[in-house]
Amino acid sequence: MKTPAARRCIAVALATSALALSMPAFAAEADEPQAGAPQADQADAAEDTGAIIVTARRRSETLQSTPVAITAVNTAMLESKAAVNIGDLQGAAPGLLITQQNSGAQAANISIRGLTYADIEKSQTPTVGVLVDGVVIGTNTGQLQDAFDVAQIEVLRGPQGTLFGANTIGGVINITRSKPTMKPGMKAEVSYGRWNTFSAKAIANYGDDESWGVKAWYFHNESDGFYKNVTRNVSAGWSNAENYGATLLFKPVGSGFEAQLTVAQVEQVFDPVVSNLTNSTEVFCGFIPARECNRNNTTDLYTTFGDYAESTYKAPEATLEMNYDAGAVKLTSITGWRKSTEAQTQDFDGSSTDLYYVDRRQHYEQWSQELRAAGELFDGFDYVVGGFYFKSEYDLTQWSRVFGFNATVPPTTFDLNSQHVEGKTESYAVFGDFNWKVADQVRISFGGRFSHDKKELFNGFAGGKLIDPNNVQASQFVPVGTGKASFNKFTPKIGIDWRPNSDTMLYASWSRGYRSGGFSPRAATAATASTPFQPETVDAYEIGVKLTTLDGRMDLNLAGFVSDYKDMQQNLTVPGGPTGNQTITGNVPGGALIKGIEFDTTLRVTDNFKLTGSMAYLDSHFRDFVTCGAYAGGPVATNSCGAGLVPFNYNANRLIYAPKFTASLSAEYTMPTSFGDVSTNVGWRHISPYDEQLSAASLTPTLNGAGAATLVTVNGNDPRVRTTTQDLVDASLTFNFDLNDTKAYVRVFGRNLLNEKTTTHAFTVAGLWSFGMALEPRTYGATVGFKF
């Protein structure tokens, strides 16, 4: 029976149910940009000059000649770490964090320069854009891409709205898969490591070596998991994943035309385990065994108590890229389609007592189309102009078993008041980006993007009815509220760079980033469900210098920046709805101010020995973060917030996923041998503590003469959502063998060799309970492979 106390728990549970790279590589010499040059030509250019070619500005240019703070990661760097996904490389690029939260499949919390938004609901758009072969992933779910079949990853820091679209106010992670080689070839490997982790990878190429080629790939990864469930006496956190697909490349000789079609699918089944962080100040501690309360957020994370849960995920995708070189202009078309189906049960309370267990079913589909034209208007003036269209639809149904005390009853039969959300997004944009060489050594870059976003949301509850999980329709639900709104924004940018010689570039820029508004998926009243939250913006100012010295053996980059964050979107808990409280997304006009300095360098000591390093210092704070919230500590005085609400002051809290200091250092040495060579790679990444949730360590009310609260001061974030200092040491030793036309290799590797233990995601739930997810502890293994 659902008591009033249970109903209050349900309210908060529903309101918070879906909770919310790499070593730098640098160019050897500075080349002029080639506006719109097809990516197929990049490898040849790099081989001829020794430079790393990037497309951060939708142009093919060397990394050192690009007036943007950028880090490039290639295949060799990923393989040397035996990386499973892009999260394995967090902390190596300045100001970059990539952590996983298992509230959704391939769900990532990505932060660049302290800008992030950690919410996996599909009505909420990411702050950092992740693109795969030019196609943006529209939600946090799906962003944690496999580190497999990757030609290069480019990490662009700061707003990238002009060329990469709205909702990239923090930056962009641009992932490019390898292209078909158009000739017979194959690469395959198997790996085995700690936690009974096994992976198998294969890529096969075929073609006529001239006009067409096809590539097929397959990737399998499975693990028993590094948690121990002592209630059920089993390993926990297990996973089984498949990633497979094919690419067809067509390049008619002498035509100037190129078409590449890629079809792929990701399938995952995994255990969405959580660790119990509930303490004696929270309600759930009164219902669970004493040993499961008041646990620490380091070593205790790896012992769990929850019931069996399982998540299944299937995500097919297709991308068609076409390029045509018409001489004076180069035309590009990128068409993308992506779909996902998820069914996930999860024991969110993380205890052996059945208190809060959910079953979430959701579907998502997106289409996108981008058209670009690039060329040179006159000598020294090049351009990229284009248009973009994006459309997505999704639905979510959640059944919750709250205070069920019976793990054998499925949530789909326990919950007669299941929640259903449907959302739609439609966006279009036009953009232009221009480079003008006003003098031999000076370029001015400028541009802008006009974006239009239309959002729709339906939010409803079953209203005491049993809903068949295999036949869910919006008409079966009682509407809480619906909303429809449009948002328009023009986001300009301007920059200047000066190159006094071929080894030096100084640059400065200003850009504005924009992230669309929308509707609150957890709203529980008609007013809050139909009232949109507004867009947020960031004005980013940056100055930098890129140097090549020591006869081309050393590259050194330094950047300083200020980010002025306005109308910041944050989740807020307020009264309302049939169950007492609700979580809505609102705007904080004061926003935040973020300042930082970044440094990265590469030193080629010899042809066989290379050192790389990076550092970032971040100073961030909220600015006038006062918003309305619900206060349960006593009566509240009449104020501008409305009935039952009181102003909350969050200025003492720290921004989430914004460590003050990060650094990395890596050494790579290759020793020639009679059979091939031996390559050694050792890396260290340092990440200072950072918070993972905007929460409350404690509250201090300001009272009037009648004892009613007029203001509530939040005394920082809860310490349980703060990580420890992380010093992550990784190493690998690779033996490469030359066997006629075949190359074979054996690699032994280790990650997190110092065995750091902390959270990757942690959450407190409104005084009810708290939970977290753990960093992978020390792991090691071996890989055997070949390629020809």
Side-chain angles (χ1 to χ4, degrees):
M1 177 177 179
K2 296 180 181 177
T3 64
R7 289 186 177 275
R8 287 193 293 271
C9 292
I10 293 173
V12 181
L14 290 173
T16 57
S17 57
L19 313 167
L21 264 173
S22 53
M23 304 167 209
F26 306 97
E29 56 186 72
D31 297 334
E32 293 294 330
Q34 304 171 43
Q39 294 184 13
D41 298 332
Q42 295 174 26
D44 294 338
E47 185 176 351
D48 292 342
T49 66
I52 290 180
I53 305 300
V54 297
T55 56
R57 301 192 303 155
R58 301 297 196 189
R59 301 163 172 87
S60 293
E61 50 192 331
T62 65
L63 190 140
Q64 286 298 88
S65 67
T66 305
V68 174
I70 178 175
T71 299
V73 188
N74 59 29
T75 304
M77 296 177 185
L78 296 170
E79 291 179 344
S80 68
K81 298 174 66 65
V84 176
N85 56 54
I86 61 174
D88 288 323
L89 298 176
Q90 80 141 347
L96 170 68
L97 294 181
I98 307 176
T99 60
Q100 180 177 10
Q101 62 161 299
N102 58 14
S103 300
Q106 286 192 317
N109 297 328
I110 304 179
S111 172
I112 297 180
R113 292 180 170 177
L115 292 176
T116 188
Y117 191 78
D119 195 319
I120 65 164
E121 294 291 10
K122 291 178 172 54
S123 60
Q124 315 286 58
T125 51
T127 297
V128 175
V130 174
L131 286 85
V132 180
D133 288 342
V135 176
V136 66
I137 297 173
T139 69
N140 289 67
T141 302
Q143 284 194 322
L144 197 71
Q145 289 285 301
D146 293 328
F148 168 68
D149 188 32
V150 172
Q152 185 161 288
I153 298 176
E154 298 171 13
V155 180
L156 288 64
R157 305 189 289 278
Q160 305 296 326
T162 301
L163 287 172
F164 290 92
N167 311 316
T168 58
I169 65 173
V172 164
I173 298 177
N174 189 23
I175 302 172
T176 305
R177 294 188 179 106
S178 67
K179 300 180 81 70
T181 62
M182 298 196 297
K183 55 187 176 182
M186 186 172 184
K187 178 179 179 180
E189 67 178 39
V190 295
S191 298
Y192 184 79
R194 196 179 183 192
W195 325 117
N196 200 26
T197 300
F198 172 77
S199 68
K201 307 175 183 180
I203 305 174
N205 276 278
Y206 191 76
D208 67 354
D209 201 18
E210 187 176 32
S211 62
W212 69 271
V214 63
K215 178 194 72 174
W217 75 86
Y218 172 77
F219 170 43
H220 171 83
N221 188 78
E222 63 180 74
S223 175
D224 287 347
F226 50 77
Y227 298 89
K228 177 67 175 181
N229 186 296
V230 295
T231 304
R232 296 182 285 123
N233 193 31
V234 296
S235 296
W238 55 266
S239 62
N240 192 309
E242 318 279 341
N243 182 332
Y244 52 88
T247 298
L248 174 64
L249 177 63
F250 180 53
K251 296 175 61 175
V253 177
S255 68
F257 176 75
E258 172 185 313
Q260 179 174 292
L261 173 65
T262 299
V263 292
Q265 180 154 292
V266 173
E267 298 181 20
Q268 290 185 347
V269 182
F270 64 95
D271 173 17
V273 64
V274 299
S275 303
N276 197 331
L277 293 177
T278 303
N279 66 24
S280 53
T281 68
E282 295 171 305
V283 173
F284 280 20
C285 207
F287 294 89
I288 65 180
R291 68 169 182 168
E292 299 176 22
C293 265
N294 301 307
R295 302 179 65 80
N296 67 50
N297 64 346
T298 53
T299 55
D300 285 349
L301 292 170
Y302 301 86
T303 301
T304 64
F305 309 94
D307 292 326
Y308 178 85
E310 181 176 295
S311 177
T312 61
Y313 173 72
K314 181 178 291 186
E317 62 176 279
T319 303
L320 174 62
E321 178 177 349
M322 295 183 289
N323 292 284
Y324 178 61
D325 187 348
V329 62
K330 297 179 176 66
L331 304 175
T332 298
S333 168
I334 301 178
T335 306
W337 170 79
R338 185 180 183 89
K339 186 177 182 179
S340 65
T341 302
E342 299 173 66
Q344 178 163 319
T345 56
Q346 192 159 16
D347 187 358
F348 266 119
D349 62 78
S351 73
S352 59
T353 305
D354 183 34
L355 300 176
Y356 181 47
Y357 190 98
V358 303
D359 187 327
R360 289 168 57 88
R361 314 283 178 94
Q362 51 190 325
H363 306 87
Y364 173 82
E365 186 172 15
Q366 69 171 61
W367 284 91
S368 63
Q369 175 64 56
E370 183 167 357
L371 298 173
R372 295 198 305 266
E376 192 173 58
L377 194 61
F378 54 81
D379 187 32
F381 188 99
D382 66 79
Y383 65 89
V384 177
V385 297
F388 175 76
Y389 177 79
F390 178 90
K391 184 177 182 179
S392 70
E393 297 184 0
Y394 88 98
D395 64 79
L396 161 69
T397 308
Q398 175 171 308
W399 294 264
S400 302
R401 189 176 67 228
V402 182
F403 289 158
F405 299 107
N406 187 351
T408 64
V409 179
T412 52
T413 57
F414 179 90
D415 188 1
L416 302 181
N417 203 33
S418 54
Q419 180 188 21
H420 184 74
V421 180
E422 293 189 7
K424 295 181 180 179
T425 296
E426 187 172 23
S427 305
Y428 60 79
V430 291
F431 58 88
D433 189 83
F434 308 91
N435 272 336
W436 185 14
K437 190 174 182 179
V438 296
D440 286 343
Q441 299 171 332
V442 179
R443 292 182 302 179
I444 295 176
S445 62
F446 58 95
R449 187 183 193 102
F450 174 80
S451 300
H452 171 83
D453 300 289
K454 183 171 72 174
K455 298 287 186 73
E456 298 181 33
L457 196 74
F458 166 90
N459 196 337
F461 291 85
K465 295 181 295 183
L466 186 66
I467 301 295
D468 181 359
N470 298 312
N471 183 26
V472 177
Q473 300 175 16
S475 60
Q476 297 172 307
F477 294 84
V478 179
V480 169
T482 60
K484 181 184 295 186
S486 295
F487 311 94
N488 300 303
K489 194 70 175 180
F490 176 70
T491 50
K493 76 151 199 177
I494 188 168
I496 186 171
D497 63 83
W498 173 50
R499 293 190 283 180
N501 55 61
S502 61
D503 294 329
T504 305
M505 181 176 69
L506 294 90
Y507 68 92
S509 67
W510 166 76
S511 61
R512 175 167 291 164
Y514 151 79
R515 193 161 74 99
S516 172
F519 293 90
S520 303
R522 307 181 190 102
T525 66
T528 55
S530 59
T531 302
F533 55 88
Q534 297 302 308
E536 60 181 12
T537 61
V538 168
D539 283 308
Y541 307 85
E542 181 175 329
I543 58 173
V545 58
K546 296 188 175 186
L547 302 173
T548 300
T549 186
L550 299 180
D551 296 324
R553 292 187 292 112
M554 184 176 184
D555 297 313
L556 188 153
N557 294 347
L558 181 66
F561 65 90
V562 176
S563 298
D564 185 0
Y565 200 171
K566 300 173 182 176
D567 296 317
M568 178 174 52
Q569 297 169 8
Q570 289 290 337
N571 286 337
L572 310 169
T573 300
V574 299
T579 52
N581 286 324
Q582 58 180 323
T583 294
I584 65 170
T585 304
N587 294 90
V588 180
L593 188 67
I594 305 172
K595 297 177 286 186
I597 298 175
E598 300 169 339
F599 164 86
D600 50 34
T601 185
T602 294
L603 175 61
R604 292 169 283 274
V605 181
T606 68
D607 290 343
N608 297 325
F609 183 35
K610 182 173 70 174
L611 296 173
T612 60
S614 70
M615 180 276 292
Y617 176 80
L618 200 66
D619 178 22
S620 62
H621 63 271
F622 289 114
R623 185 177 49 200
D624 299 326
F625 188 174
V626 179
T627 189
C628 298
Y631 178 58
V636 299
T638 302
N639 59 75
S640 59
C641 286
L645 299 179
V646 65
F648 273 67
N649 186 337
Y650 284 91
N651 285 330
N653 291 58
R654 302 198 294 187
L655 273 70
I656 64 173
Y657 295 96
K660 186 174 288 291
F661 182 75
T662 61
S664 70
L665 183 63
S666 175
E668 180 182 339
Y669 179 70
T670 302
M671 180 180 67
T673 66
S674 59
F675 55 80
D677 61 64
V678 178
S679 178
T680 303
N681 192 300
V682 179
W684 163 75
R685 294 170 287 152
H686 173 86
I687 307 171
S688 65
Y690 60 89
D691 292 349
E692 300 161 304
Q693 183 206 8
L694 190 64
S695 55
S698 62
L699 302 175
T700 301
T702 299
L703 306 178
N704 63 15
T710 59
L711 175 73
V712 175
T713 299
V714 182
N715 301 310
N717 293 322
D718 192 302
R720 289 172 294 172
V721 304
R722 184 169 302 130
T723 70
T724 62
T725 299
Q726 300 174 58
D727 286 293
L728 307 174
V729 176
D730 310 309
S732 67
L733 182 65
T734 305
F735 299 85
N736 295 298
F737 301 90
D738 294 325
L739 305 174
N740 297 322
D741 294 331
T742 301
K743 293 184 179 296
Y745 52 94
V746 177
R747 178 182 299 116
V748 292
F749 60 87
R751 293 193 299 269
N752 189 12
L753 293 176
L754 297 182
N755 205 29
E756 297 280 8
K757 294 184 177 181
T758 189
T759 54
T760 60
H761 178 64
F763 212 87
T764 63
V765 189
L768 297 177
W769 85 97
S770 300
F771 64 92
M773 298 154 198
L775 176 72
E776 179 188 56
R778 180 189 297 123
T779 190
Y780 41 80
T783 299
V784 178
F786 70 90
K787 54 187 174 181
F788 63 84

